[in-house]
Amino acid sequence: MSLTKTSQTSIMQTYNRLPITAVKGEGSFLYSEAGKKFLDFTSGIATCNLGHQPLAIKKAVSAQLDLLWHCSNLYHIPKQQELAHLLTEKSCFDQVFFCNSGTEANEAAIKLVRKWSGKETIATFTKSFHGRTLGSLSATAQPNLQDGFGPMLPGFEYFPYNDLDCLSEIEERKPAAVLLELVQGEGGVHPADQEWISALVSMCHSNNILIVVDEVQTGMGRTGTLFAYEQYGFEPDIMTLAKGLGSGFPIGAMLAKESVASTFGPGTHGSTFGGNPLASAAATETVKEIVSFLNNAKEMGNMLINEIKSLSKQHTSIIEVRGLGLLLGIEVADASPFVSQLRDKNILVLSAGSNVIRILPPLNVSKGEAEEFLEKLTEVFQSAEEEEKG
């Protein structure tokens, strides 16, 4: 018996979609087709870092719509050049390659590392997440995500995250680069230990090993500074960005120091839509706006993590609270019921793996919105405790 074709069955089932049909977003809120208003502490998975439909970005894109939508990277694109200058001015990098997503940015980084070094081995870390295309998936040290796709791309070796003992083994292998997240988002919201990072950086510098930071999720103010590496006291050789860079418009970027970036020449890499005028206009204005909300991200992040830690002292179902800035995780035995119950209270959060509640408010979240979230979160944990007691 054949199924009746609908708009839903026409989409490949690569997502377990939640029972919400989103039709509008404004500020920190998402509105459903059924007329419900949700406080959105997912931010489009750390993408809508200024909330939904920020006015400055809307104006910038509207102005660009009247000028040019797309041409080709065979020509100079003013907004792309402005964005590249802005990103290099606000970071330790010299040049930028534009693409459309985080996984593409990481693919570009992998190619640049291989081209620069003449070697293929890159060290990555357990529970990392670098994307779903074959190269970035091979870099992702999560076997469950690789299952069913045949042999992974050779050249990646996995090491324990936040483990000082593994550094001597990395040094012995002398890979072309290490690739890491400074807060593992998808892997469970695990911030890097400062001692480990300092030792890793020192070892890499002593052995001419490139340091590549994947800031697809941690970048663009998410951790309280424009880039997370700023809080760890070192300068990477390469950095990848996407998600929050475009306020929801598809854009990714790979940034590199000139000594490394110069390895790429005409024809070595490309992207048809990379640095598209519309996406570049959105991203340029996004960078300018985010800078003004970094203090708020720090303050609200500190408030939330401190309040949740206080809550954890009252509820045994909370195993650990961790995070940096407004990238927060609550470890529990099973995250799914808590995510579902918060949704029933019109609060949207995510999971990271099966046992971490991931919280990603917009960087301009208000104190009132944060308090509303904490109130509903408290209710959910109180309810869980009462149910446990029977």
Side-chain angles (χ1 to χ4, degrees):
M1 190 172 83
S2 63
L3 291 172
T4 302
K5 197 173 192 180
T6 68
S7 58
Q8 290 184 355
T9 58
S10 298
I11 297 174
M12 285 192 186
Q13 302 302 297
T14 56
Y15 288 88
N16 284 319
R17 296 181 191 266
L18 300 169
I20 296 172
T21 301
V23 294
K24 179 186 173 184
E26 187 173 1
S28 298
F29 295 92
L30 193 67
Y31 297 80
S32 76
E33 189 177 50
K36 283 191 174 183
K37 178 183 178 182
F38 296 90
L39 181 59
D40 185 4
F41 272 28
T42 75
S43 298
I45 316 183
T47 296
C48 301
N49 282 4
L50 296 168
H52 296 281
Q53 291 197 72
L55 185 59
I57 283 71
K58 183 187 283 191
K59 285 181 177 178
V61 173
S62 295
Q64 187 62 44
L65 273 169
D66 290 334
L67 296 173
L68 181 68
W69 297 9
H70 178 78
C71 55
S72 163
N73 280 308
L74 294 173
Y75 310 111
H76 297 288
I77 301 171
K79 272 297 173 188
Q80 185 186 107
Q81 293 172 320
E82 183 183 352
L83 176 58
H85 177 73
L86 192 58
L87 287 171
T88 55
E89 183 182 58
K90 294 188 177 300
S91 71
C92 66
F93 302 98
D94 302 307
Q95 294 185 352
V96 187
F97 171 82
F98 289 112
C99 50
N100 308 286
S101 67
T103 193
E104 287 183 46
N106 284 328
E107 291 282 353
I110 291 165
K111 283 183 67 175
L112 182 58
V113 165
R114 288 187 168 197
K115 185 78 171 168
W116 177 85
S117 66
K119 298 168 20 179
E120 69 175 38
T121 303
I122 296 174
T124 68
F125 298 92
T126 52
K127 294 188 177 179
S128 59
F129 183 85
H130 299 295
R132 295 186 183 273
T133 48
L134 195 55
S136 59
L137 184 61
S138 300
T140 296
Q142 294 195 53
N144 59 306
L145 298 179
Q146 300 170 342
D147 187 42
F149 297 105
M152 291 292 102
L153 188 71
F156 294 96
E157 295 186 359
Y158 309 142
F159 297 88
Y161 189 74
N162 273 338
D163 186 326
L164 286 165
D165 292 338
C166 79
L167 300 186
S168 58
E169 188 178 353
I170 296 175
E171 184 172 25
E172 185 180 324
R173 300 290 182 90
K174 288 190 169 45
V178 296
L179 166 62
L180 75 154
E181 303 152 276
L182 292 167
V183 181
Q184 291 187 325
E186 301 288 336
V189 191
H190 293 282
D193 295 335
Q194 180 65 65
E195 182 185 6
W196 181 67
I197 288 294
S198 297
L200 176 67
V201 169
S202 177
M203 182 274 295
C204 287
H205 286 168
S206 297
N207 291 276
N208 202 29
I209 297 170
L210 293 180
I211 304 168
V212 185
V213 290
D214 177 340
E215 295 234 26
V216 170
Q217 189 160 160
T218 59
M220 306 317 301
R222 176 52 54 188
T223 64
T225 49
L226 194 57
F227 311 112
Y229 78 79
E230 296 174 86
Q231 298 183 52
Y232 284 89
F234 76 102
E235 293 188 358
D237 300 292
I238 299 172
M239 175 175 71
T240 56
L241 297 173
K243 287 190 179 290
L245 179 58
S247 288
F249 285 85
I251 187 167
M254 178 195 65
L255 291 78
K257 296 286 188 73
E258 198 278 333
S259 58
V260 181
S262 60
T263 308
F264 267 0
T268 53
H269 200 45
S271 174
T272 297
F273 298 105
N276 170 276
L278 289 176
S280 292
T284 301
E285 203 59 39
T286 296
V287 176
K288 293 175 182 177
E289 286 289 301
I290 279 177
V291 170
S292 64
F293 289 105
L294 294 176
N295 285 336
N296 189 70
K298 286 178 191 173
E299 289 172 12
M300 290 297 101
N302 288 335
M303 172 197 163
L304 285 168
I305 200 164
N306 288 335
E307 291 294 328
I308 298 168
K309 282 182 176 178
S310 295
L311 188 64
S312 70
K313 295 173 183 176
Q314 305 164 39
H315 299 285
T316 55
S317 52
I318 299 177
I319 298 168
E320 187 180 14
V321 181
R322 52 185 181 257
L324 192 63
L326 286 172
L327 173 48
L328 304 171
I330 306 173
E331 185 175 343
V332 292
D334 182 5
S336 180
F338 293 101
V339 173
S340 179
Q341 288 166 41
L342 282 166
R343 187 171 66 247
D344 291 341
K345 293 178 179 291
N346 292 350
I347 305 286
L348 300 180
V349 294
L350 299 164
S351 60
S354 62
N355 65 336
V356 176
I357 304 164
R358 186 170 24 155
I359 303 155
L360 299 162
L363 309 186
N364 51 1
V365 62
S366 70
K367 186 177 180 183
E369 291 163 349
E371 288 172 343
E372 180 183 348
F373 164 75
L374 288 168
E375 179 186 334
K376 299 294 175 61
L377 185 70
T378 301
E379 290 174 7
V380 164
F381 278 108
Q382 284 175 343
S383 176
E385 189 172 281
E386 289 166 7
E387 189 176 322
E388 193 176 307
K389 288 177 180 176

